Amino acid sequence: MKHIGSQDNNATRRWQFPRPGTLLVRLPSLSLCLLVTSVLVLTSMCTKVSPAPKSEDSESKEPEIEKSDTLNYTIIVKAPCEMKKLDILAFATSGTNDLEGHKTLVSGKHDTVRFKSTKGELDFCLVANSPFNIKTGAIKRRENLENLEYDFLDDSEECPILSGEVKMKPGKAELQLKPLMCRISLENVTSTLSNYELVEEPRVRLTDIPVTAKPFGSEGFVQQESREYGEWKNLPYDIGLFTQHPGTSLAFYPNETPEDSFGSTRIGLEFEYGVRGKRYTAKAILPPTGRADSLLVDVLVEGADTASLSIYRRKP
């Protein structure tokens, strides 16, 4: 038999109301856990969080460019005259010998050239005192530079066009620039005329002179076009009893045509003089000449219409 009265008492104890002034909340265990979690979340949302100060090491920096593969080249440039302008062209020595860079120096001293690249060995071609600007639009490879050409009339004896080439690995090298122009000078002029007759108003000129020259041509200085006569140049005085050393000189572009080349045009020299009012001419052919060659000539006048020219190279 159920004790009904006993059950009622338990129910009364389970649902009895608290005394006034007391708040009593009884929740299941799961509900309590959810409540605690919610409180913690709300607390963290309301709390101000300050970022940690950045250290110098933690700041973002631009990445440094690795320059260990940049190579340095230094060329000590030597020249026989002033270099008012200097062009430097650098070509690769492998593959198709592409142009790697071009610089033009127009002020200051040009005796030291510095260049940077990443290509290892380079072929440096230098031109000084070019009368016009070298445009690299048509010079993409070393072979294109062979077409670079100068006209003798654009050159200058006082400040001649110079050029040179050196292949080098990173480091330092020397390069001696040379002019395109050659020169022939009257070293000795002697007269053996009788009765103390004078060799009057002597003068000299060149014939069949090359018009142009290519400083980097692979075929050498082969004469393609020539000017028939150069200008006369007077000696400073008449020639009498004693041998004179006038030093009169003529400039010209090189011609390496061999002496035994049949039918080729070669440079000639004419010496004109007067005896007793009549004019006479002696002629000679110049030997093959390369760039910057220097020739000397001795003249011997043995009779009114007899003179000889002896041409030889100046000793270094």
Side-chain angles (χ1 to χ4, degrees):
M1 185 173 179
K2 295 182 180 179
H3 299 284
I4 299 174
S6 175
Q7 291 177 350
D8 292 338
N9 290 336
N10 291 335
T12 302
R13 284 196 298 270
R14 186 180 297 121
W15 299 106
Q16 64 182 348
F17 292 96
R19 288 188 295 267
T22 301
L23 178 62
L24 179 62
V25 179
R26 292 184 178 182
L27 298 173
S29 298
L30 180 60
S31 299
L32 181 60
C33 291
L34 292 174
L35 178 61
V36 173
T37 302
S38 300
V39 171
L40 291 175
V41 171
L42 289 173
T43 302
S44 65
M45 293 176 63
C46 296
T47 303
K48 182 179 180 181
V49 180
S50 300
K54 292 183 180 180
S55 64
E56 293 183 0
D57 295 337
S58 65
E59 291 182 358
S60 60
K61 297 181 178 180
E62 291 291 332
E64 294 186 1
I65 299 175
E66 181 59 48
K67 296 183 179 180
S68 60
D69 58 347
T70 300
L71 305 173
N72 297 310
Y73 306 77
T74 301
I75 305 175
I76 307 303
V77 183
K78 297 183 178 181
C81 64
E82 181 184 2
M83 294 182 289
K84 294 183 177 180
K85 184 175 70 169
L86 182 63
D87 285 276
I88 305 103
L89 297 98
F91 298 89
T93 58
S94 59
T96 54
N97 308 120
D98 293 337
L99 178 67
E100 295 297 329
H102 171 230
K103 291 168 58 175
T104 301
L105 306 178
V106 293
S107 61
K109 292 185 177 181
H110 308 322
D111 53 357
T112 301
V113 172
R114 292 180 174 84
F115 199 87
K116 293 181 181 292
S117 179
T118 60
K119 297 296 183 179
E121 185 181 53
L122 291 178
D123 182 3
F124 287 94
C125 299
L126 277 63
V127 179
N129 303 328
S130 175
F132 54 79
N133 295 329
I134 297 177
K135 298 180 180 180
T136 56
I139 305 176
K140 299 300 183 183
R141 300 175 180 175
R142 172 60 179 83
E143 63 183 13
N144 301 140
L145 192 62
E146 296 182 8
N147 298 321
L148 180 65
E149 188 174 60
Y150 290 100
D151 192 301
F152 179 80
L153 296 179
D154 292 330
D155 213 329
S156 166
E157 293 189 46
E158 292 73 26
C159 194
I161 300 168
L162 311 172
S163 61
E165 182 174 8
V166 60
K167 291 182 180 180
M168 63 176 292
K169 294 180 179 179
K172 182 182 291 187
E174 289 188 1
L175 178 59
Q176 177 70 53
L177 300 186
K178 294 181 179 181
L180 287 171
M181 281 187 173
C182 304
R183 191 172 294 278
I184 184 168
S185 302
L186 270 69
E187 184 74 358
N188 304 296
V189 181
T190 304
S191 170
T192 59
L193 294 176
S194 59
N195 301 322
Y196 304 105
E197 290 181 310
L198 290 177
V199 175
E200 303 166 344
E201 299 178 353
R203 61 181 184 172
V204 289
R205 72 176 178 182
L206 293 170
T207 62
D208 297 318
I209 313 165
V211 173
T212 61
K214 297 180 178 181
F216 301 103
S218 61
E219 298 180 357
F221 297 99
V222 179
Q223 190 162 332
Q224 302 292 340
E225 183 182 358
S226 61
R227 189 157 45 101
E228 187 174 7
Y229 297 108
E231 295 181 359
W232 285 109
K233 198 165 190 178
N234 295 325
L235 274 64
Y237 32 66
D238 294 343
I239 309 300
L241 179 63
F242 301 102
T243 297
Q244 301 295 325
H245 313 284
T248 304
S249 64
L250 300 169
F252 58 96
Y253 269 177
N255 181 5
E256 295 177 323
T257 302
E259 296 181 7
D260 59 356
S261 178
F262 179 77
S264 298
T265 302
R266 295 174 55 201
I267 305 171
L269 176 68
E270 291 185 352
F271 176 80
E272 186 186 89
Y273 61 98
V275 177
R276 297 190 297 271
K278 291 185 178 182
R279 304 297 293 177
Y280 303 93
T281 302
K283 300 179 181 180
I285 300 297
L286 273 59
T289 51
R291 65 181 310 146
D293 274 358
S294 181
L295 302 176
L296 299 174
V297 56
D298 290 341
V299 179
L300 175 61
V301 180
E302 299 178 276
D305 58 353
T306 305
S308 60
L309 308 177
S310 299
I311 299 173
Y312 53 97
R313 298 185 185 277
R314 184 188 298 272
K315 295 181 180 180

